Amino acid sequence: MTTPADQTVATQTTEGPTVNRQAEYQQVAAELNRYLGTIISQLGIDATSTVEVKHRHINMNFKTEQEGLLIGKHGRTINALQSLAQVFLNHKRFSKLEVTLDVANYRERRVETLTRLAENMAREVVATGKPVYLDPMPSFERKQIHSVLADNEHVMTYSAGTEPKRAVVITLK
C-alpha cells in the first residue's frame, strides 16, 4: 500500500450541507482513507485510492494489481472493509455519512449480476409457483433485489432471517 501521502483525495461537493459541514466531511474522509490504507497495507495489498465526497456520501475507489484479493470471495473482503469504514464514521460521530468502497468497478458489476439473478429467480418462481430463498447477502445487495422486482406484477420479495444470514425470499403475489 502506498503511504497516505501518495494517495489522492479528490473531493467534490454538491449543494446541501453548509460549507463548514462539507469541510468536516472532507476531513473525516481523509482520516478514513488513512485508516483503510493502513488496514489494506497490513493485508499485504499494494493499492492506491481516490476519495470523492458528495453531499453525505463518500465514494472510495481503490486501484491495485491484486483486485481479487481486495474484493475477496463473493465480495466478502470489500464488504467487510466497507462495514469497518461505516463503523469508523459512526465512531467519529458522522453516522449520517454513507460510504461505498469499490475496486475495478466491482460494485457496478455486482449490481448487474444481482439484477440478472433477481429477474431469473422471478421467472423461476412464476414457472414453478414455489418461493425461492436467495443466499444471505448484505442489506445494500438485498435492497437491489427488492428494487429490481418492486414493479413486477407476478412476484413479491421480502427479507427473512437475522443478520448476518438475512436473505431475500421471492414468492408469488
Side-chain angles (χ1 to χ4, degrees), residues 44 82 105:
Q82 186 166 306
N105 290 324

Side-chain angles (χ1 to χ4, degrees), residues 2 8 10 13 20-22 43 57 85 88 101 110 114-115 118 124 134 144:
T2 57
T8 306
T13 59
N20 287 342
R21 198 67 171 154
Q22 279 298 320
L43 289 172
H57 197 90
F88 178 89
L101 306 184
R110 184 69 178 151
L114 291 172
T115 300
E124 182 178 319
L134 300 180
Q144 178 65 32

Side-chain angles (χ1 to χ4, degrees), residues 20-93:
N20 287 342
R21 198 67 171 154
Q22 279 298 320
E24 290 177 3
Y25 291 171
Q26 291 171 11
Q27 181 179 350
V28 77
E31 291 175 29
L32 176 61
N33 191 35
R34 286 189 295 276
Y35 172 70
L36 290 176
T38 302
I39 293 171
I40 292 169
S41 178
Q42 290 173 348
L43 289 172
I45 300 171
D46 184 31
T48 58
S49 61
T50 56
V51 178
E52 185 178 38
V53 178
K54 289 184 180 179
H55 190 53
R56 288 191 175 143
H57 197 90
I58 299 172
N59 290 311
M60 297 184 77
N61 291 299
F62 294 94
K63 287 191 186 270
T64 180
E65 295 294 320
Q66 301 162 299
E67 293 169 354
L69 192 56
L70 188 53
I71 293 169
K73 186 175 183 180
H74 302 294
R76 287 190 184 121
T77 304
I78 196 75
N79 288 345
L81 288 169
Q82 186 166 306
S83 294
L84 279 175
Q86 196 65 56
V87 168
F88 178 89
L89 292 174
N90 293 347
H91 180 73
K92 294 283 188 176
R93 308 247 189 259

